[in-house]
Amino acid sequence: MRLEHPVPFSNEWQAKWIWHGRPKLTMETSTRTALADPTDRIVLFRREFTVSSPPTNAPARVWVDGRYILFVNGTEVARGPVRNEPRSARYDYVDIGSCLSPGVNTLAVVARHFGKSTSWWVPVPPTYSLGAGSLVFECLVGDEWIVSDASWRSSNGEAWTPVPMPGDVACLPLESFDARAHCRGWTVSGFDDSSWRSAYEIKPLHTGADGRRSPPSSPFGALRPPVRAAYPTGTRHVADQIGSITLVGSPAHEDPVRQVLLDQESETDPSGSVRLLRFDLGRIAAGSVTLEVVGADAGTRIDVAASEHVDARGRLVTLGQHAGFRYVCRGVDDTFTTFDTIGTRFFNVVVRDSSGGSANVDIRLTVTDRHRPRPVGASFECSDESLNTIHAIGLRTVDLCALDAYVDCPTREQRAWTGDSVVHQMVDFVSNPDWSMPVWHPQLATHVRPDGMLAMAAASDFAADDQMYLPDWSLHWIRSVHNIHRYTGDRELVAELLPIAERVLRWFESFLGPDDLLHDVTGWALSDWASVYMNGCSSLTNALWARGLREFAEMSSWLGNEASANWARARHAAVRSAFDVFWDEGRGVYIDHIVGGAKRREAAQHPGAMAIVAGLVPPDRMVRVIEGITDRRRLIRHSFVMDRLTVDGDGQGFVYLTNGFPPDPPWDVENQMVEAEPFFQYVVHEAMVAAGRADLVVESCRSWQVFVDAGETTWPECWVGGTRCHGWSSTPTSDLVRHVLGITPAEPGYASVRVMPALGDLEWARATVPTPHGWITVEAHADGRLLVDSPVPVVGA
């Protein structure tokens, strides 16, 4: 699409690329460049300028190959940029006018180039000069452009020592900060930067370069307009100290998190040299962690590790999380705020006095929210207070998982998974008037492999390594595109995304057998962590593909592309004709899979639900299918992988993850059915609605009460096991609006709205939802009274 930049900006920048010294690149061959030192590096930049009369507005934009913090006269005004594939990067826009004052003003930037891939950043294949760290900034102050160039001063961030990336399930960068080496006061005017050097202007060099020194430049291409309207900040959460012990301690370790984990296993010793403090936030929070230390001598070392879980002895149980930092005290004004977001509930803090004794210092830990804001206006409430609580917890869970993109969790990984986000997106479309993220995330996820498959986690180490892929996640991504189609009606954006969707759908064709069904699809078949058998010829994979084909055909016809629509309809019709092979007439279920021509007996809830949603179930069979998949006497909860990922669990789940499920399940396959985990319940609820049983959704949403009763304040990843804050588990928050009150777009972009309440046993329910045309408010009562306030025509009421 044509790029629309905010005024006064355009594709062409006036600013120069700068860094601290020549970027460290090496030539592997005469044409191939590589990073000479791919380690985590922090650089400081500053620029003073004089303003006689500060303007009301001073629009600025900034981008760093990595991440940055921007200060104006000592005040933080922006952090970013949003994650993205570096060749389609998005700059940030911020108006700094309110921060300027008459006289000398100071711009200051902390810029970080991570060197190696993280959970939310990937390095770009470098050219001869760009790709090893760079900053570009420009601002219009009155009639004067302030731009990044050699007039800026720069310095290495001497206080930061690189810490090796964990490179595991968690791949979050860590910090080790020595306050004694930090240049205090550098973000404000009057700081003596005479020992700093002039910033190095990077001349873009590559085969075919034209000598231009300003963006757009290879390898990044055109830096694209911003996708967020506000910078994440919010509530400040104070951690309570809940314990303190003195330990023998363990040998020194360069990784602060590993140091704490080793220390907490050492023996208790009242005369020991290590003091361990335990903190509890009371609930999950995610944002910048601020450490305040009082009474510490210079050189006192403080290691902080974070986790969602602790055991009965107060030890952190990480379950794959690896988050924290190290701080070495200055001895005065010891306050430190982390560069990147940390999500957690618990902290264990280890203090080592510089003299080798046990430091008796006062420590305070707080977390300031860094997720995207949720403007007021949308609401939901009903006659059942337990459902009101469930709805509210889902909102908070999605908020915590909405950082610079929708992430799986703010704690363990912070990766932008391609499929998880469909639930986050549906929650925001019905409960957040700011639709920037539900529209942006599907665009972020368009990292297409050469074969047409999408990366399973966008702009991450998983995308960079590309060692594994999740075919069903790409099919859930197509649903997220369909949601954009229905809620926004943005033809131009949908037209840009549909060719990618078609490549995804056509990727599956190579697995078609002569029976018109998909067989032995490669990759990781996740479903939702439930124990659904998907090897061989999978009913769920085929039904997911069929839903994607159906929705793609609808969108293609809407855009006038009948050739692609007809192809998808033909494929869908063929799957529908062949799908009956999975039907078990005797039990009234769709079985999970067929292996080597043999119909296996396992039958989870998922195939039947997805078959209904995908339009594969004959009308005369619908009642039997929906009754079968909603029969609570039959449903069981089971996950070979996640049931073991608990505080007291073992590693057996990962054996199943890498070797497949055992051939003989431990449940009664003839009479029991594996229930969908919280994520896939969105499909189950849609199946209820499609089968004419929307009244069942209310009771299904009450299933989340098990988490409330356990004291959770955010939704865990699964019924048992996993993280304690997973956005994909927030299905009730969208479905109480979409299905119980029945508020959905009747036409793309809410040209009209459909209102079809199905209250179940509720006495009443009401909601206000955002649309491109204004707010829609619906109030429904069990006696049939229905009040609708809508700026667009109402159908179905």
Side-chain angles (χ1 to χ4, degrees):
M1 295 190 300
R2 183 193 302 272
L3 301 181
E4 299 293 338
H5 297 270
V7 176
F9 303 113
S10 66
N11 250 22
E12 293 76 32
W13 290 56
Q14 301 186 50
K16 306 297 191 296
W17 296 99
I18 61 172
W19 198 238
H20 180 64
R22 185 187 298 273
K24 296 181 179 180
L25 293 163
T26 185
M27 300 300 296
E28 291 186 334
T29 69
S30 60
T31 58
R32 187 177 301 278
T33 316
L35 272 63
D37 182 22
T39 56
D40 190 358
R41 186 185 183 194
I42 287 181
V43 172
L44 310 180
F45 295 94
R46 66 190 311 273
R47 165 75 149 82
E48 293 188 355
F49 61 99
T50 301
V51 177
S52 57
S53 178
T56 302
N57 302 106
R61 60 176 173 176
V62 56
W63 188 78
V64 165
D65 182 13
R67 284 199 166 169
Y68 73 87
I69 306 173
L70 171 64
F71 300 89
V72 179
N73 294 327
T75 299
E76 179 185 324
V77 297
R79 288 183 180 228
V82 297
R83 73 187 73 195
N84 207 353
E85 206 284 333
R87 285 164 289 200
S88 55
R90 301 274 182 165
Y91 62 81
D92 281 329
Y93 171 95
V94 59
D95 192 322
I96 66 172
S98 62
C99 299
L100 300 178
S101 59
V104 178
N105 291 263
T106 302
L107 295 167
V109 178
V110 184
R112 189 174 186 181
H113 185 271
F114 299 98
K116 296 180 181 178
S117 299
T118 74
S119 289
W120 33 252
W121 179 83
V122 292
V124 70
T127 61
Y128 301 143
S129 60
L130 282 169
S134 54
L135 159 70
V136 63
F137 172 93
E138 61 186 24
C139 176
L140 182 59
V141 181
D143 296 326
E144 180 184 2
W145 282 97
I146 307 298
V147 302
S148 53
D149 57 21
S151 68
W152 288 53
R153 307 292 288 172
S154 69
S155 172
N156 275 321
E158 301 293 350
W160 285 270
T161 300
V163 180
M165 201 76 67
D168 203 340
V169 174
C171 195
L172 304 176
L174 304 173
E175 285 184 85
S176 179
F177 183 88
D178 188 337
R180 298 170 299 179
H182 193 47
C183 42
R184 299 173 67 188
W186 73 280
T187 63
V188 297
S189 301
F191 173 77
D192 181 5
D193 60 14
S194 59
S195 63
W196 292 28
R197 68 172 71 167
S198 295
Y200 179 85
E201 286 190 14
I202 305 172
K203 180 180 180 180
L205 299 174
H206 55 86
T207 303
D210 60 4
R212 179 179 171 81
R213 292 177 178 266
S214 303
S217 309
S218 292
F220 305 112
L223 296 177
R224 302 184 178 204
V227 294
R228 56 182 177 180
Y231 287 90
T233 188
T235 305
R236 195 164 182 248
H237 309 269
V238 179
D240 294 324
Q241 185 176 328
I242 58 174
S244 173
I245 57 174
T246 305
L247 305 169
V248 174
S250 61
H253 200 287
E254 64 179 339
D255 183 325
V257 176
R258 186 62 182 155
Q259 182 73 70
V260 173
L261 298 179
L262 292 170
D263 285 339
Q264 71 178 10
E265 298 297 329
S266 67
E267 295 181 5
T268 303
D269 182 357
S271 62
S273 62
V274 173
R275 184 177 172 216
L276 186 148
L277 310 177
R278 298 192 177 102
F279 292 84
D280 182 3
L281 287 162
R283 60 179 184 169
I284 302 293
S288 300
V289 178
T290 297
L291 168 72
E292 298 173 79
V293 185
V294 177
D297 294 332
T300 297
R301 195 179 90 192
I302 299 174
D303 291 308
V304 180
S307 180
E308 301 171 283
H309 308 272
V310 293
D311 64 14
R313 293 171 52 191
R315 296 175 302 182
L316 301 182
V317 180
T318 60
L319 299 184
Q321 185 174 1
H322 197 97
F325 58 93
R326 171 169 293 158
Y327 178 79
V328 180
C329 295
R330 175 188 297 114
V332 62
D333 296 333
D334 278 305
T335 299
F336 172 75
T337 299
T338 58
F339 189 93
D340 294 306
T341 292
I342 292 177
T344 189
R345 174 174 172 176
F346 301 101
F347 293 103
N348 274 5
V349 179
V350 172
V351 183
R352 284 177 167 81
D353 187 82
S354 57
S355 63
S358 176
N360 188 22
V361 301
D362 291 327
I363 288 179
R364 188 170 189 253
L365 283 167
T366 57
V367 177
T368 302
D369 289 340
R370 286 289 175 186
H371 50 78
R372 65 96 179 84
R374 178 183 297 279
V376 298
S379 64
F380 169 85
E381 58 180 333
C382 67
S383 56
D384 185 340
E385 280 301 321
S386 66
L387 286 177
N388 292 336
T389 298
I390 286 169
H391 177 271
I393 292 176
L395 280 181
R396 184 166 188 274
T397 303
V398 169
D399 286 347
L400 286 167
C401 294
L403 304 178
D404 61 324
Y406 291 133
V407 299
D408 56 339
C409 54
T411 50
R412 184 182 65 205
E413 297 180 43
Q414 298 182 21
R415 289 188 181 91
W417 288 83
T418 301
D420 296 37
S421 58
V422 68
V423 170
H424 310 52
Q425 182 200 42
M426 290 188 292
V427 168
D428 270 355
F429 270 139
V430 301
S431 61
N432 191 342
D434 179 1
W435 283 1
S436 56
M437 192 168 289
V439 170
W440 154 241
H441 192 101
Q443 298 175 71
L444 166 69
T446 55
H447 292 187
V448 186
R449 292 156 34 114
D451 60 357
M453 180 52 57
L454 298 181
M456 63 184 185
S460 73
D461 52 331
F462 285 178
D465 296 343
D466 199 25
Q467 295 177 0
M468 186 42 61
Y469 52 96
L470 262 166
D472 44 336
W473 253 220
S474 293
L475 297 172
H476 286 290
W477 173 82
I478 291 176
R479 161 52 69 87
S480 73
V481 177
H482 188 253
N483 287 335
I484 289 176
H485 154 65
R486 294 185 65 220
Y487 282 86
T488 74
D490 189 334
R491 288 181 177 271
E492 190 174 11
L493 178 56
V494 173
E496 183 177 80
L497 296 176
L498 275 196
I500 300 170
E502 182 165 355
R503 287 197 67 195
V504 167
L505 291 166
R506 289 185 180 274
W507 179 90
F508 287 87
E509 287 187 306
S510 61
F511 298 96
L512 281 172
D515 57 358
D516 287 322
L517 293 173
L518 304 172
H519 293 256
D520 301 312
V521 175
T522 56
W524 175 14
L526 173 60
S527 73
D528 61 348
W529 288 123
S531 299
V532 185
Y533 282 78
M534 298 177 67
N535 55 305
C537 183
S538 162
S539 57
L540 179 54
T541 302
N542 277 279
L544 266 166
W545 189 51
R547 184 189 69 173
L549 290 165
R550 193 185 197 193
E551 293 175 345
F552 174 80
E554 176 191 331
M555 291 184 284
S556 295
S557 285
W558 179 62
L559 293 175
N561 182 358
E562 288 302 328
S564 291
N566 289 336
W567 163 79
R569 291 192 193 102
R571 283 296 186 211
H572 181 274
V575 175
R576 186 175 64 241
S577 297
F579 198 78
D580 216 46
V581 70
F582 297 110
W583 178 246
D584 184 328
E585 177 64 27
R587 292 185 294 162
V589 297
Y590 284 101
I591 61 173
D592 284 359
H593 62 157
I594 300 171
V595 181
K599 296 184 179 181
R600 298 285 299 175
R601 303 295 290 171
E602 301 86 16
Q605 189 180 39
H606 307 59
M610 187 57 79
I612 291 174
V613 173
L616 303 178
V617 178
D620 59 356
R621 187 182 294 165
M622 190 73 74
V623 171
R624 196 172 178 201
V625 175
I626 198 65
E627 288 179 350
I629 66 173
T630 59
D631 184 352
R632 298 291 332 168
R633 298 168 300 176
R634 174 184 289 183
L635 295 174
I636 64 165
R637 292 171 178 171
H638 191 281
S639 172
F640 281 115
V641 177
M642 300 305 286
D643 286 352
R644 315 295 274 271
L645 193 62
T646 63
V647 170
D648 302 317
D650 55 32
Q652 183 62 34
F654 292 101
V655 176
Y656 294 130
L657 183 62
T658 56
N659 292 274
F661 299 162
D664 298 312
W667 62 87
D668 179 1
V669 297
E670 297 298 326
N671 300 296
Q672 292 180 314
M673 172 180 285
V674 172
E675 183 180 4
E677 294 288 343
F679 167 65
F680 207 85
Q681 290 290 335
Y682 94 83
V683 179
V684 175
H685 292 172
E686 289 182 355
M688 294 171 178
V689 175
R693 294 303 311 275
D695 59 298
L696 298 175
V697 174
V698 165
E699 189 59 33
S700 179
C701 288
R702 292 192 176 107
S703 298
W704 274 252
Q705 186 65 35
V706 66
F707 295 133
V708 179
D709 293 343
E712 300 291 355
T713 58
T714 50
W715 295 137
E717 185 173 3
C718 295
W719 298 122
V720 177
T723 78
R724 296 178 66 181
C725 183
H726 232 73
W728 78 351
S729 295
S730 298
T731 294
T733 300
S734 69
D735 291 359
L736 287 167
V737 176
R738 295 192 305 136
H739 303 321
V740 175
L741 275 166
I743 308 171
T744 57
E747 299 175 76
Y750 268 115
S752 60
V753 60
R754 179 172 288 106
V755 180
M756 298 185 66
L759 297 183
D761 62 359
L762 295 179
E763 296 177 9
W764 58 269
R766 72 172 65 94
T768 297
V769 301
T771 78
H773 312 284
W775 299 100
I776 294 174
T777 298
V778 174
E779 182 176 319
H781 294 261
D783 61 8
R785 285 180 295 145
L786 180 63
L787 305 175
V788 181
D789 181 6
S790 171
V792 298
V794 180
V795 300

